Amino acid sequence: MRTECLPADREGITKAADILAEGGLVAFPTETVYGLGANALSVEAVRRIFEAKGRPADNPLIVHVTDKEAASACGEWNGLADLLADAFWPGPLTLIVKRKAVIPAEVSAGLETVALRSPSHPSARELLRVCGMPIAAPSANRSGRPSPTTARHVLDDLDGLIPLVLDGGSCDVGLESTVADVTGEVPLILRPGAVTLEMIAMVAGECRISDSVMRELKKDEAAPSPGMRHRHYAPRAQLTLVKGSPEKVCELIRQLAEKSEKTWVLAPEDRVKYYRGLNTHSLGGDAKETAHRLFHLLRQADEERVEHILSETLTSDGLGLAVMNRLARAANFHILDADGKASQND
Ligand code: AMP
Ligand code: MG
């Protein structure tokens, strides 16, 4: 199959809507990462997503909708969903509610719930408006690879496997949406993102976070959010995170970097200067910048055939939690403590 890449303008969006109406797949930009969309009401269309991505069938998809009204046609809407949608939609927040029968079980990987999001990206919104149907769309990468934040990243993974990519430039946030289960009385974050725990707690009065967010699931443990069972966001290079006091972190990273030639060091902007002489890349000046460039950096490391990436850690508050969640998963929870020299998963 030839993959066309068109600007996300009126012509591109019309073509995309036609493909979706025929049950085909289209990659399109959102404010978080690029999505791989299909008609959420069609089992055949949704199956194509799993095939193109090589996605395990037990990993559910997020259904994209224009607004609350469209969302309540797909899932059992409730007061908490309403409150959070009013505060954060359109935007990078996915809400889990009970699934209605119009949404095929395949979309939710057999779960009785459905994940719903109303994106804010103008091209995504226009596509939803023109095609007039809910669009199931996971990230537009091959399963296990870092999520795509540019049309080029999508082509690197899916060229020849899908008919169309809409190019809307680089994604604003750069990390996938926050996923919050709102089937209970208190919102429960299953995946951290740009709508933070603190922001949700401000609106809902309380917000919990699943304890599986920052640790590896045990072999037979049930995953509250099935995507967490799978290795995610991973570059081909071996990523190691180093935490601890700044001087010790620097010392240990320098020691480890000397052992191999094809090594990259990742550090916050103001710490890059401590790694002179090494192949060092900046994670940016704050968590927002890190989120925006993280997946791009991981993909660039693969292109340059880097073998090891050694990264400093960031503070896990606000958006920092989402960044650390993706870094820890990309590292397969390989985290060294420079102070204690004890390690997880060694
Ligand atoms: P992606 O579309 O690649 O961002 O992945 C969507 C993620 O949302 C999945 O990997 C799940 O972790 C989560 N998700 C989607 N639907 C549900 C659901 N019904 N219940 C819990 N988590 C879900
Ligand atoms: Mg994904």
Side-chain angles (χ1 to χ4, degrees), residues 189-210:
I189 293 183
L190 304 180
R191 177 175 75 184
V195 174
T196 63
L197 177 98
E198 294 86 345
M199 288 159 75
I200 295 176
M202 280 276 276
V203 172
E206 211 182 328
C207 180
R208 295 206 192 100
I209 183 146
S210 166

Side-chain angles (χ1 to χ4, degrees), residues 33 53 55 58-64 94-97 107-109 111-116 137-141 147 176-177 179 181 190-191 223-230 232-233:
V33 300
K53 281 183 61 90
R55 185 174 177 102
D58 67 350
N59 195 355
L61 310 176
I62 293 173
V63 176
H64 293 68
T94 296
L95 297 170
I96 310 271
V97 295
V107 169
S108 294
L111 296 172
E112 289 183 355
T113 50
V114 62
L116 298 166
S139 49
N141 50 295
S147 293
E176 306 84 349
S177 60
V179 175
D181 183 333
L190 304 180
R191 177 175 75 184
S225 182
M228 287 190 188
R229 197 195 309 279
H230 305 285
H232 240 128
Y233 322 113

Side-chain angles (χ1 to χ4, degrees), residues 39-225:
N39 178 359
L41 306 177
S42 157
V43 177
E44 290 76 43
V46 163
R47 280 196 187 131
R48 290 197 180 103
I49 293 181
F50 286 90
E51 273 165 37
K53 281 183 61 90
R55 185 174 177 102
D58 67 350
N59 195 355
L61 310 176
I62 293 173
V63 176
H64 293 68
V65 290
T66 43
D67 51 26
K68 289 197 301 185
E69 285 64 42
S72 59
C74 303
E76 301 290 345
W77 208 241
N78 61 39
L80 191 51
D82 211 49
L83 190 71
L84 293 179
D86 279 343
F88 302 113
W89 277 12
L93 174 66
T94 296
L95 297 170
I96 310 271
V97 295
K98 287 258 174 299
R99 177 168 56 88
K100 283 192 174 169
V102 285
I103 300 294
E106 280 81 356
V107 169
S108 294
L111 296 172
E112 289 183 355
T113 50
V114 62
L116 298 166
R117 174 158 99 89
S118 180
S120 63
H121 193 291
S123 306
R125 297 196 65 72
E126 183 63 5
L127 181 60
L128 282 163
R129 193 189 67 75
V130 174
C131 81
M133 58 174 92
I135 302 178
S139 49
N141 50 295
R142 287 284 294 170
S143 198
R145 298 264 298 137
S147 293
T149 56
T150 64
R152 162 65 25 218
H153 295 162
V154 177
L155 288 170
D156 286 344
D157 279 17
L158 298 176
D159 196 9
L161 296 173
I162 60 172
L164 178 63
V165 181
L166 290 179
D167 188 346
S170 100
C171 299
D172 196 21
V173 177
L175 297 182
E176 306 84 349
S177 60
T178 306
V179 175
D181 183 333
V182 289
T183 56
E185 295 200 340
V186 175
L188 177 69
I189 293 183
L190 304 180
R191 177 175 75 184
V195 174
T196 63
L197 177 98
E198 294 86 345
M199 288 159 75
I200 295 176
M202 280 276 276
V203 172
E206 211 182 328
C207 180
R208 295 206 192 100
I209 183 146
S210 166
D211 80 321
S212 53
V213 162
M214 287 307 287
R215 67 174 172 84
E216 195 171 22
L217 286 170
K218 297 187 192 89
K219 231 189 190 137
D220 298 316
E221 188 179 354
S225 182

